[in-house]
């Protein structure tokens, strides 16, 4: 009876306080075992909510549009390469070495068209392809191609010795494209350059076409050179889509 009276007094006192306080301080006579179990559950719940789920930490990126690259030396038709480089040393083109053909490739044509007493015309055509995969840490293939588009364009614009480079945006060549026209003095001749940087999906196409007149032959016009570069670039871009059908 001596223990019952104090216990009854405490129960009555608890009944008079708010419910939230009853839960905190008026559980039972069994010590802290009940409140300890509740605290462990609360800590576990807090820990679980603080730890992000795998889906929350995994960055989703857009899938790469193209999985393949075209065969570089066949990306531009023989008819076009024959018109741009009439006396190419290798009419089939010279492939650029690549340790990863699925991600990069290139081809070039060059030759000297001897006009006899009228001099000679030299031409060089070069095309390169770069494909970017989507990566959770680096971004989508399209985003990576866009970033490198700007970098490759800047490299061309900063060509050592280039005279008055002019950059222009053009339409109808992939998703985005820019041209860079300039002249460069080498081998005691003025070479005229027409360069194109184009992006189609997650693939970059870099094309350069240039020429010079030797032994008194006229220097090719900037317009003719750029027109040839754009025609070849359009074929190269189309070849990317064709390779992924």
């Amino acid at each position: 009876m001596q223990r019952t009276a104090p216990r009854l007094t405490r129960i009555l006192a608890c009944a008079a306080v708010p419910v939230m306080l009853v839960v905190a301080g008026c559980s039972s006579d069994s010590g802290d075992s009940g409140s300890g179990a509740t605290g462990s559950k609360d800590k576990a719940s807090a820990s679980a909510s603080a730890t992000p789920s795998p889906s929350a930490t995994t960055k989703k990126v857009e899938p790469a549009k193209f999985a393949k690259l075209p065969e570089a030396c066949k990306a531009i038709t023989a008819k076009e390469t024959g018109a741009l480089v009439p006396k190419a040393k290798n009419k089939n083109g010279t492939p650029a070495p690549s340790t990863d053909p699925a991600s990069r490739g290139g081809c070039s044509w060059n030759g000297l068209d001897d006009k006899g007493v009228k001099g000679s015309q030299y031409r060089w055509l070069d095309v390169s392809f770069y494909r970017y995969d989507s990566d959770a840490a680096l971004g989508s293939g399209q985003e990576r191609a866009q970033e490198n588009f700007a970098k490759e364009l800047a490299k061309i614009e900063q060509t050592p010795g280039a005279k008055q480079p002019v950059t222009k945006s053009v339409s109808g060549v992939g998703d985005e494209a820019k041209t860079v026209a300039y002249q460069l003095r080498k081998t005691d001749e003025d070479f005229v350059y027409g360069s194109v940087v184009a992006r189609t999906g997650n693939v970059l196409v870099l094309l350069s076409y240039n020429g010079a007149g030797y032994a008194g032959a006229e220097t090719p016009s900037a317009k003719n050179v750029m027109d040839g570069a754009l025609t070849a670039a359009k074929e190269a871009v189309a070849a990317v889509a064709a390779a992924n059908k």
Side-chain angles (χ1 to χ4, degrees), residues 24 48 55 65 107 134 152 165 221:
S55 59
K65 183 176 181 179
C107 192
S134 293
E152 295 298 337
S221 72

Side-chain angles (χ1 to χ4, degrees), residues 86-112:
K87 297 294 182 179
K89 295 177 181 177
N90 183 353
K91 292 184 178 182
N92 294 323
T94 302
S98 175
T99 57
D100 186 4
S103 297
R104 62 185 66 89
C107 192
S108 63
W109 298 257
N110 71 90
L112 184 68

Side-chain angles (χ1 to χ4, degrees), residues 1-100:
M1 294 296 294
Q2 293 179 349
R3 292 185 58 193
T4 303
R7 180 181 181 186
L8 178 61
T9 301
R10 193 175 68 173
I11 291 174
L12 292 174
C14 285
V17 300
V19 176
M20 290 181 67
L21 294 180
V22 172
V23 174
C26 305
S27 55
S28 70
D29 282 345
S30 59
D32 294 334
S33 61
S35 62
T38 302
S40 297
K41 291 179 180 179
D42 290 342
K43 290 180 181 179
S45 177
S47 176
S49 62
T51 304
S53 63
S55 59
T57 57
T58 301
K59 181 181 177 182
K60 293 184 178 179
V61 296
E62 180 184 3
K65 183 176 181 179
F66 298 118
K68 300 177 182 179
L69 288 178
E71 189 175 337
C73 290
K74 293 182 179 179
I76 303 172
T77 63
K79 179 181 178 181
E80 187 60 27
T81 58
L84 296 178
V85 189
K87 297 294 182 179
K89 295 177 181 177
N90 183 353
K91 292 184 178 182
N92 294 323
T94 302
S98 175
T99 57
D100 186 4

Side-chain angles (χ1 to χ4, degrees), residues 10 20 34 41 53 62 65 84 92 120 122 143 154 157 163 172 176 187 195 198 207-208 213 215 230 235 237:
R10 193 175 68 173
M20 290 181 67
K41 291 179 180 179
S53 63
E62 180 184 3
K65 183 176 181 179
L84 296 178
N92 294 323
S120 301
Y122 179 81
E143 291 171 336
E157 293 174 325
K163 297 179 182 178
E176 60 178 325
T187 62
S195 294
L207 188 136
S208 179
L230 280 169
E235 289 193 358
V237 167

